[in-house]
Amino acid sequence: MTQRVALATVMDRLAIDAVITGYAVAVDDGAWADYGALFTPDGRADYRGAGGVEGPAEEAARWLEETMRLFPVRQHLIVNRRIDLEDLGGYTGDRAEVRADYLNPMCLARQAASGPEGGPPGQSGTATPDFVTGGRYTFALDRAEAGWLIRRVTVHEKWRRAPGP
């Protein structure tokens, strides 16, 4: 591998990492236009592994927008990212796959409205998550003229802790 190819590979990895981070931030912030901009025109999202929908990214964004209203406080942590770039005889290609673990604590609207720990709104401190889930994402990405974009994201939920007995 030449130095030029090695540098291009590092740049691809950094760009792909930025897309994955952008995905988490868009979902956490409810930035659905930003979410949609991360996908190829034919991009798809599969949330069935976490009790959700599967379909075009635009439809998935609408489902997420509706569902996430239940959890106005949420934080995606996407870690242990394994990026596999398509190998074209020692050169990186135009496709990549990312497998990454996630932890996603969220607070229900009733708790966020009443403030941390059920106290008055605006009180300082931290709210205790009502719902926490963890698992693994699989992202398939394509290189586009504008940069790397998500062709498909699939959620594989491994566990969850929800309100209740």
Side-chain angles (χ1 to χ4, degrees):
M1 182 179 294
T2 67
Q3 214 172 13
R4 184 172 294 182
V5 172
L7 178 59
T9 300
V10 169
M11 297 301 291
D12 281 337
R13 288 179 178 281
L14 290 171
I16 290 166
D17 190 68
V19 170
I20 303 308
T21 298
Y23 170 89
V25 171
V27 172
D28 290 345
D29 291 351
W32 306 116
D34 294 347
Y35 173 92
L38 295 168
F39 286 83
T40 61
D42 62 343
R44 298 185 70 81
D46 185 350
Y47 297 109
R48 293 175 296 181
V53 300
E54 188 281 332
E58 185 177 301
E59 289 177 21
R62 285 194 298 271
W63 175 80
L64 283 168
E65 182 176 17
E66 184 65 30
T67 302
M68 292 298 115
R69 286 186 183 143
L70 298 171
F71 304 101
V73 178
R74 54 190 179 263
Q75 183 178 27
H76 257 90
L77 305 171
I78 301 180
V79 300
N80 300 336
R81 302 172 193 210
R82 179 181 297 176
I83 300 172
D84 294 318
L85 292 163
E86 181 181 49
D87 185 345
L88 301 175
Y91 296 91
T92 57
D94 295 333
R95 292 193 171 221
E97 184 176 288
V98 177
R99 289 178 306 277
D101 295 329
Y102 71 86
L103 176 66
N104 186 207
M106 298 181 283
C107 295
L108 289 165
R110 63 169 166 68
Q111 182 175 327
S114 67
E117 304 296 335
Q123 180 178 344
S124 64
T126 57
T128 303
D130 293 295
F131 186 90
V132 182
T133 181
R136 180 165 289 159
Y137 281 113
T138 303
F139 294 91
L141 296 100
D142 289 346
R143 185 193 312 271
E145 193 166 318
W148 287 94
L149 296 172
I150 300 168
R151 182 176 70 261
R152 182 168 189 87
V153 59
T154 305
V155 176
H156 310 277
E157 184 178 78
K158 293 182 178 183
W159 61 272
R160 71 169 60 179
R161 189 191 81 220

